[in-house]
Amino acid sequence: MDLIRNRYLLVPFLVVFLTFCLDKLLLLENIHTYFSKSLSDINYIQKHQLYEDLKVYLSKKDRDKVLVYFGNSRALLFDNEYIQKKYPGWLMFNFSVPGGKPDYVLQWMEEFHKDKVKPDFFLFDHSVEMYNSTATLKVDETLTNGLNVSFVLKHFSLFSTDDISTLIAKRMFRAYQYRPKLEVILTRAKNKESFLFPYRELRNNLMENLNRGKGSAMTPGTHQSVLPPELLKKSAIGDFHSYLVPFQFSDQVLSFTNQSLELAKELGVPSAVIWVRLSLPYMDHIRNLKVSVGGGKTDTVYHDWYPRMVEYHKQNGVPFWNMNDDPNYACNNFSDAGHMSPTCYDEYTDFIFKNLLQSFVKGAR
């Protein structure tokens, strides 16, 4: 009765509701292409179709074995034609996304477990940057593009207050994430042939390529060819200070990975975790530069992080494929400090399948 008599009290709720509805209208593809600039959301959108395609493929009687890879932007460019030619009988369904983190992986693994979707092998990612809870530059793409609110509520204790704030601000009100600029909108509206239509075509082509590549495709502008040594050194020191200084190990991130691995075991699907190759100057900083690691201590990121990973894998019997300490891996062409050049992807693929096939040989004994 008080609300009826004092209807002005409903005004804030009405404003929030209308703002929410307007925000969702702005995200319609033909509207949001007037102001958005990123293509990374396409990777996240496409994974839902990839999952449906995977279920259909796994139901076939005469099918190849399937490797499902959960990675991040360091694992976007694989070529199934190369895989099928060099490793006949195998196919990769690539669930890697830009900024992919273990929380996003667990969300998918819960879906796999619920639907009893059983590929022949799961490959998960250990990115050292993802284990830092005090990074200067946070990677939040899974929060803004990938995680369901229901998943976050289910695992509420594993998310920080900053994560929850980001989720509320950027998922409930996506215009806050994209921050439309009138200048961009007007430019694209006035020059559709030069700006708007090419951008829409880029998005459409990326979606088609991801579908054709079973989750793998080049995102335009994301990976250049090979960065010259001097620029690579600058990129390395920049990334090191952005993502790893200071360094505070996150038990929550390891918990997400552990739960994914447990679900893989329950499905009866073998799995492994990979630490993807980083550039030599970047790894030099990780191995040798001392940073604050919490508790008033200083140490190298490598010495604080790596022994934890080795001990975890030893205790749980899960293979750990370490590309950064493998003396036989030789391709060191990089697009930036943390991303191998497309010229390395054949050797990157060979590294994965060499270890994968060895795992199957061991499993058969």
Side-chain angles (χ1 to χ4, degrees):
M1 293 297 292
D2 288 339
L3 281 177
I4 294 176
R5 288 197 301 269
N6 302 291
R7 293 175 184 172
Y8 66 89
L9 294 174
L10 293 172
V11 171
F13 297 99
L14 180 61
V15 169
V16 171
F17 176 74
L18 292 175
T19 303
F20 182 82
C21 293
L22 178 61
D23 182 80
K24 298 302 166 277
L25 179 64
L26 288 173
L27 286 180
L28 293 174
E29 180 70 9
N30 282 344
I31 295 178
H32 111 107
T33 48
Y34 276 92
F35 57 81
S36 67
K37 297 178 181 179
S38 173
L39 296 172
S40 64
D41 61 313
I42 297 294
N43 287 271
Y44 285 87
I45 295 168
Q46 190 271 338
K47 295 302 172 278
H48 297 282
Q49 182 59 51
L50 182 66
Y51 184 60
E52 296 305 316
D53 293 344
L54 173 62
K55 288 191 289 186
V56 171
Y57 186 77
L58 290 176
S59 68
K60 295 180 178 180
K61 291 184 179 180
D62 299 320
R63 67 169 179 85
D64 291 339
K65 288 185 174 65
V66 172
L67 163 65
V68 167
Y69 189 175
F70 288 104
N72 50 45
S73 57
R74 293 171 181 158
L76 299 178
L77 311 179
F78 292 98
D79 182 356
N80 267 307
E81 289 187 8
Y82 177 81
I83 292 170
Q84 290 181 301
K85 181 179 179 180
K86 191 161 184 180
Y87 305 97
W90 279 95
L91 193 62
M92 178 189 289
F93 278 73
N94 192 355
F95 281 78
S96 302
V97 290
K101 294 173 68 176
D103 50 9
Y104 179 72
V105 175
L106 178 58
Q107 178 175 279
W108 271 116
M109 284 302 297
E110 289 182 350
E111 195 73 13
F112 276 66
H113 187 263
K114 177 175 67 72
D115 294 340
K116 293 182 172 54
V117 176
K118 300 180 182 182
D120 297 281
F121 201 90
F122 285 117
L123 182 58
F124 302 100
D125 176 81
H126 270 335
S127 287
V128 60
E129 298 90 348
M130 301 301 179
Y131 282 86
N132 186 13
S133 61
T134 55
T136 302
L137 185 60
K138 292 189 178 296
V139 180
D140 62 7
E141 285 190 81
T142 55
L143 279 169
T144 57
N145 289 320
L147 295 185
N148 298 326
V149 174
S150 58
F151 174 84
V152 175
L153 293 175
K154 178 180 177 180
H155 300 278
F156 190 82
S157 63
L158 295 177
F159 290 92
S160 68
T161 53
D162 285 344
D163 292 334
I164 302 301
S165 298
T166 298
L167 183 76
I168 293 172
K170 292 187 177 182
R171 289 297 295 279
M172 291 187 67
F173 299 97
R174 299 298 290 273
Y176 175 74
Q177 174 189 352
Y178 291 104
R179 298 178 187 179
K181 294 183 178 179
L182 183 60
E183 179 184 357
V184 174
I185 294 172
L186 292 176
T187 299
R188 292 186 183 180
K190 292 177 181 178
N191 303 279
K192 292 182 179 180
E193 297 290 341
S194 300
F195 296 103
L196 179 64
F197 296 154
Y199 177 58
R200 287 180 178 173
E201 186 176 0
L202 274 177
R203 291 175 64 84
N204 291 335
N205 288 342
L206 177 56
M207 180 65 81
E208 291 174 5
N209 291 338
L210 285 167
N211 286 330
R212 186 164 48 250
K214 293 180 170 52
S216 296
M218 176 81 77
T219 301
T222 300
H223 297 273
Q224 301 302 318
S225 185
V226 179
L227 204 64
E230 287 305 312
L231 292 179
L232 191 59
K233 290 178 182 178
K234 291 182 180 179
S235 175
I237 196 66
D239 279 11
F240 183 73
H241 283 281
S242 294
Y243 298 112
L244 294 172
V245 181
F247 185 82
Q248 181 69 55
F249 184 84
S250 172
D251 291 306
Q252 288 90 339
V253 170
L254 185 57
S255 177
F256 284 126
T257 298
N258 183 64
Q259 290 181 67
S260 292
L261 289 165
E262 287 299 317
L263 290 176
K265 288 180 182 178
E266 291 180 20
L267 284 169
V269 178
S271 60
V273 184
I274 187 171
W275 184 18
V276 176
R277 187 80 162 186
L278 302 174
S279 69
L280 295 180
Y282 191 22
M283 275 303 302
D284 184 63
H285 301 328
I286 291 171
R287 292 183 198 278
N288 299 311
L289 294 186
K290 289 192 174 183
V291 302
S292 171
V293 293
K297 300 178 182 178
T298 60
D299 205 341
T300 66
V301 173
Y302 185 90
H303 188 259
D304 187 77
W305 177 80
Y306 185 65
R308 299 175 194 259
M309 297 298 100
V310 172
E311 182 62 24
Y312 171 81
H313 285 277
K314 181 180 177 181
Q315 289 181 355
N316 292 276
V318 177
F320 181 21
W321 301 346
N322 178 0
M323 293 183 76
N324 289 289
D325 293 318
D326 188 324
N328 297 316
Y329 187 83
C331 193
N332 286 302
N333 297 331
F334 279 77
S335 302
D336 58 39
H339 294 88
M340 274 183 282
S341 164
T343 60
C344 281
Y345 262 75
D346 286 353
E347 288 161 88
Y348 182 4
T349 303
D350 293 340
F351 175 88
I352 288 173
F353 277 88
K354 173 187 172 184
N355 285 279
L356 173 63
L357 296 176
Q358 287 177 350
S359 294
F360 266 78
V361 169
K362 290 179 182 178
R365 291 174 182 171

